[in-house]
C-alpha cells in the first residue's frame, strides 16, 4: 500500500536532485541527493518528439547539454546521445538525460519519495500530462510516494483525472491574489511558491485553508529556518547537504 507523499514528506526536498552538487536532473544528481541523506527529491519531466518522458528542466537542451534545440523536437535517441554532465563539471562528462522510468528506479532504489514536476512546453500541456500519466500508470511502483506538481493548471487537471489518488501541487512564483481559486481549479493539495514572495501571513492563510505549503528554491539556512518556523511544510533546495546539516 502506497504511503501518501505528505505522510512521508521530510522538511527538506532536493531540487532537481541535488543540483547544487551535481548536474541537475541527472542520475548523478539523484544518487548524490540520496548519498547525503535527502529523503525526497523534486525533478522536472517533459516529453520528446517520439512521446518518451524525460527528465529535463528547460524547454531546450542548450543550457545543460552539448546539444541545441527544443526537447519536444528530439527523439529519445537524440536526447540520449547528449552529454548532460560536462557543463557542470568534467567529472560528470557523459552523464545522460534520464528517462522518467530510469529516474523512478533510482528514487525507489534509495527509498526516497518523489515530487514530479510536469514541465510542458507551452501549447503541449495536455499531451505532456497524458503521456506522463500513462507512464506512471504503467511503471510507478505501488510503494513509491509521489507528489505531482506543475505551474500549469490544465496539466494538473489532466493528470489528476488519470491518477486521482496522487496528490497534486500547484506552482506559482508569486502568491497569486486568487490562490484559493487556482488551487480549487487545479484540484491541488498544496501550493508551492518562490521563497522571495512568501510572508508569514501568506503561510498562515494557506495553511488555515487546509493546504500544504512548499517553498522553492531556498539555499540560505537562516531563510530556511524562518520559513519552517512560519509553518511551511517543506523547502526545496539545491543544497540539501547544507540544510540537513
Ligand atoms: O518545483 C519547484 C521548482 O522546481 C519550480 O521551479 O523552475 O525550478 O522548475 P523550477
Ligand atoms: Mg522544478
Amino acid at each position: 500500500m502506497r504511503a501518501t507523499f505528505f505522510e512521508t514528506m521530510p522538511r527538506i526536498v532536493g531540487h532537481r536532485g541535488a543540483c547544487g552538487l551535481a548536474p541537475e536532473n541527472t542520475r548523478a544528481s539523484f544518487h548524490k541527493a540520496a548519498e547525503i541523506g535527502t529523503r525526497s527529491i523534486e525533478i522536472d519531466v517533459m516529453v520528446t518528439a517520439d512521446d518518451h518522458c524525460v527528465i529535463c528542466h528547460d524547454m531546450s537542451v542548450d543550457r545543460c547539454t552539448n546539444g541545441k534545440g527544443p526537447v519536444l523536437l528530439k527523439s529519445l535517441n537524440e536526447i540520449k546521445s547528449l552529454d548532460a554532465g560536462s557543463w557542470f563539471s568534467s567529472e560528470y562528462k557523459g552523464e545522460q538525460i534520464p528517462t522518467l522510468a530510469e529516474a523512478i528506479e533510482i528514487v525507489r532504489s534509495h527509498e526516497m519519495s518523489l515530487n514530479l514536476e510536469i514541465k510542458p512546453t507551452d501549447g503541449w500541456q495536455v499531451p505532456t500530462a497524458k503521456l506522463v500519466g500513462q507512464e506512471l500508470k504503467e511503471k510507478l511502483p505501488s510503494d513509491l510516494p509521489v507528489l505531482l506538481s506543475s505551474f500549469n493548471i490544465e496539466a494538473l487537471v489532466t493528470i489528476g483525472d488519470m491518477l486521482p489518488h496522487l496528490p497534486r501541487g500547484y506552482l506559482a512564483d508569486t502568491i497569486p491574489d486568487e490562490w484559493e481559486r487556482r488551487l480549487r481549479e487545479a484540484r491541488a493539495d498544496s501550493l508551492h511558491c518562490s521563497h522571495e514572495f512568501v510572508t508569514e501571513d501568506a503561510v498562515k492563510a494557506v495553511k488555515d485553508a487546509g493546504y500544504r505549503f512548499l517553498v522553492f528554491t531556498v539555499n540560505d539556512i537562516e531563510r530556511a529556518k524562518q520559513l519552517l518556523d512560519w509553518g511551511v511544510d517543506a523547502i526545496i533546495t539545491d543544497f540539501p547537504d547544507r540544510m540537513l546539516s
Side-chain angles (χ1 to χ4, degrees), residues 15-16 42 44 57 115 117 119 149 151 171 216 236:
H15 190 219
R16 308 178 197 171
E42 184 265 6
D44 306 286
H57 175 272
N115 173 195
E117 181 186 343
K119 208 59 144 177
S149 63
F151 285 96
L171 298 175
F216 57 88
I236 300 174

Side-chain angles (χ1 to χ4, degrees), residues 139-183:
K139 300 197 177 137
L140 188 64
S142 59
D143 56 352
L144 197 157
V146 170
L147 168 64
L148 301 167
S149 63
S150 187
F151 285 96
N152 187 270
I153 292 176
E154 204 178 3
L156 286 173
V157 170
T158 302
I159 201 161
D161 285 341
M162 298 175 77
L163 296 155
H165 58 292
L166 293 182
R168 288 173 296 280
Y170 172 65
L171 298 175
D173 282 322
T174 60
I175 299 169
D177 281 347
E178 72 286 23
W179 58 267
E180 217 162 350
R181 180 185 63 73
R182 290 188 188 214
L183 287 172

